[in-house]
Amino acid sequence: MLDLKNIFSKEAKVTESLKKQINEMITGSLTSIVIPQSIEKIGKYSFAGNSLLKHITIPDSVNEIGEYAFSDCESLTEISLPSSLEVINDYLFKGCT
């Protein structure tokens, strides 16, 4: 599971483990993601095409999810959308089964 706190932290240390996690995110081989509380918006196409992603945890701090953010995440089986969401753009789950 990738905990994005390490990626978005101002004090993140680039360790071999972090390099591996970033590579997994880029290549679409992540299976689970936890978005940190400091994130307010998930940008468009953020996780699009990650065919192995099964679970994502989105905190209450997120108030907007961009278009196609999870499109073609064919294995996505569990996602909890926070009540704080104000904007959910088009095609969020396009191509998901």
Side-chain angles (χ1 to χ4, degrees):
M1 176 187 319
L2 174 61
D3 186 341
L4 296 179
K5 285 185 246 183
N6 292 329
I7 292 174
F8 295 108
S9 171
K10 292 178 184 176
E11 300 175 13
K13 294 180 182 177
V14 180
T15 64
E16 288 304 312
S17 175
L18 181 58
K19 286 180 188 178
K20 181 182 177 201
Q21 290 176 347
I22 292 171
N23 184 55
E24 288 174 345
M25 185 170 71
I26 292 169
T27 61
S29 60
L30 287 175
T31 58
S32 185
I33 297 173
V34 176
I35 306 291
Q37 279 288 341
S38 59
I39 303 301
E40 296 179 356
K41 177 181 178 180
I42 297 173
K44 60 183 179 179
Y45 295 99
S46 293
F47 302 99
N50 186 330
S51 61
L52 300 178
L53 183 62
K54 295 179 182 180
H55 176 264
I56 187 159
T57 302
I58 302 174
D60 289 335
S61 60
V62 173
N63 56 36
E64 180 176 349
I65 300 177
E67 58 192 22
Y68 296 96
F70 304 106
S71 65
D72 299 317
C73 291
E74 299 165 349
S75 298
L76 189 61
T77 57
E78 186 177 344
I79 185 168
S80 297
L81 300 176
S83 59
S84 59
L85 278 177
E86 297 173 3
V87 179
I88 299 176
N89 288 292
D90 294 332
Y91 310 110
L92 186 61
F93 299 107
K94 181 182 181 290
C96 296
T97 54

